[in-house]
Amino acid sequence: MVKAVVLGGIGQPLALLLKANPLVTELGLYDIVNTPGVAADLSHIATPAKVEGYLPPDDGLAKALKGADVVVIPAGVPRKPGINAGIIKDLATGIAKTAPNAFVLVISNPVNSTVPIVAEVFKKFGTFNPKRVFGVTTLDVVRASTFVSEILGDLSLSKDVVVPVVGGHSGVTIVPLLSQSSHPLPSGFAKDNLDALVNRIQFGGDEVVKAKSGAGSATLSMAYAGAEFAAKVIRAVKGEKGIIAPTYVNLAADAQGGAALTKELGQELAYFSANVELGTEGVAKINPLGTITDAESALIKAAIPELAKNIDTGVNFIAEATKAEAAKSDEPRL
């Protein structure tokens, strides 16, 4: 029995894909509007998952999260990091109280900061397990696979093309290791073309926003990527071995693997997206970068300062919020 919970209305296509996953037997939905109707709609689909939708009144978040095994968080407003930080803090508080042992998959941007926000909230409640909190960077991997297959002239390869993408999940922090692609780029692939491909993977979200004339972002491809990663986590939790996927995690999740990766990076970072082996407890092993090119090494070097800044932003947000809450509770009551 697996209960998956989706927190946030932009997760409708994601909820549809999870409902279609035969391993999911219960699906909980939570958002500030429309959720009961979305749940009723999904409940007519002939797959095993029983679907229930909740709104904030009457302890809806706690009801949605009760008994959750996997919680996926796509909640928030596209490209509004300040707003999203507060939303993620509140949702993480609900998870820490109601489903502290769930596997938490964070999609809400900026992932480089929202994952530390979730972790810091869990730490406040004494329930942080670094093995169970993931930043979903799968869209970068999906884009890399798609774009490489386009260059190879055969989109039917896209499901088989595997390109590790490390670092983080925004702009220059996204580092595709194209030299490790399961399907090598054509021999003699020009450096200018390679640079353009890296840039397209890093800033693929901008491509979608522009095509939607600023009226939306990558919700459908993100839903697909989120469902793909959730499916891998569920399969691993149910005992399937050998599942490896890039994901943004706290390096304390695997002390040995984290230390080896830190040595490769040449700098300590609390979080980094790397090839992670998934297991019944979540993170089983953090794999090293392996052999990379000088150009890829330069990309990682450029990513590190931005990642460090993003991580600090998330940690500091919770520290400031905690301080403000403490000050408020100390105010004299009239």
Side-chain angles (χ1 to χ4, degrees):
M1 304 290 284
V2 173
K3 178 174 179 179
V5 177
V6 179
L7 304 180
I10 64 163
Q12 278 195 42
L14 172 60
L16 172 61
L17 292 168
L18 289 174
K19 172 68 171 122
N21 185 329
L23 295 178
V24 176
T25 51
E26 197 173 340
L27 183 60
L29 310 178
Y30 173 82
D31 195 31
I32 56 173
V33 290
N34 300 333
T35 337
V38 174
D41 195 356
L42 289 172
S43 71
H44 293 184
I45 296 171
T47 59
K50 178 186 175 186
V51 191
E52 290 185 313
Y54 299 92
L55 296 167
D58 197 25
D59 237 2
L61 179 57
K63 287 176 179 173
L65 289 167
K66 188 178 179 184
D69 299 296
V70 176
V71 180
V72 191
I73 313 178
V77 183
R79 304 193 168 218
K80 298 284 184 184
I83 294 171
N84 290 350
I87 292 169
I88 297 308
K89 171 184 168 289
D90 292 343
L91 294 177
T93 300
I95 301 166
K97 287 178 176 177
T98 308
N101 294 317
F103 298 91
V104 182
L105 283 49
V106 183
I107 291 174
S108 307
N109 280 318
V111 165
N112 296 352
S113 301
T114 52
V115 171
I117 285 173
V118 170
E120 293 303 305
V121 170
F122 272 60
K123 286 176 187 176
K124 273 178 62 180
F125 286 88
T127 58
F128 178 54
N129 181 346
K131 291 182 179 293
R132 291 178 176 245
V133 178
F134 303 88
V136 180
T137 60
T138 313
L139 182 51
D140 305 324
V141 180
V142 168
R143 283 180 174 141
S145 300
T146 304
F147 301 162
V148 167
S149 67
E150 284 177 356
I151 288 164
L152 296 174
D154 186 358
L155 271 173
S156 70
L157 292 173
S158 58
K159 286 290 282 183
D160 301 316
V161 173
V162 178
V163 180
V165 183
V166 301
H169 185 54
S170 66
V172 297
T173 70
I174 298 168
V175 181
L177 302 181
L178 291 158
S179 66
Q180 296 180 13
S181 174
S182 60
H183 294 62
L185 292 164
S187 58
F189 193 66
K191 183 185 181 302
D192 286 355
N193 292 339
L194 182 62
D195 291 345
L197 175 58
V198 169
N199 186 267
R200 191 181 179 205
I201 294 166
Q202 290 181 324
F203 297 95
D206 295 349
E207 192 176 305
V208 177
V209 171
K210 186 179 177 185
K212 291 186 176 183
S213 303
S217 60
T219 50
L220 296 174
S221 52
M222 188 67 252
Y224 172 83
E228 284 282 293
F229 185 69
K232 286 179 179 177
V233 170
I234 291 167
R235 283 161 46 205
V237 168
K238 289 180 79 70
E240 188 176 328
K241 305 284 187 190
I243 297 175
I244 295 173
T247 174
Y248 183 71
V249 294
N250 187 297
L251 297 189
D254 169 20
Q256 190 175 345
L261 182 59
T262 299
K263 194 173 179 183
E264 286 180 310
L265 297 175
Q267 180 176 332
E268 283 197 17
L269 288 170
Y271 299 85
F272 197 82
S273 182
N275 266 337
V276 170
E277 184 175 340
L278 303 171
T280 54
E281 292 303 309
V283 175
K285 184 183 178 189
I286 298 172
N287 287 312
L289 296 173
T291 305
I292 60 175
T293 66
D294 290 345
E296 288 165 350
S297 185
L299 287 170
I300 288 170
K301 195 171 180 183
I304 287 173
E306 185 69 16
L307 267 175
K309 188 170 76 176
N310 296 160
I311 293 163
D312 285 345
T313 297
V315 172
N316 292 337
F317 176 80
I318 295 301
E320 290 300 318
T322 303
K323 204 185 295 179
E325 286 163 9
K328 196 172 181 183
S329 66
D330 288 340
E331 286 176 3
R333 293 173 186 250
L334 299 175

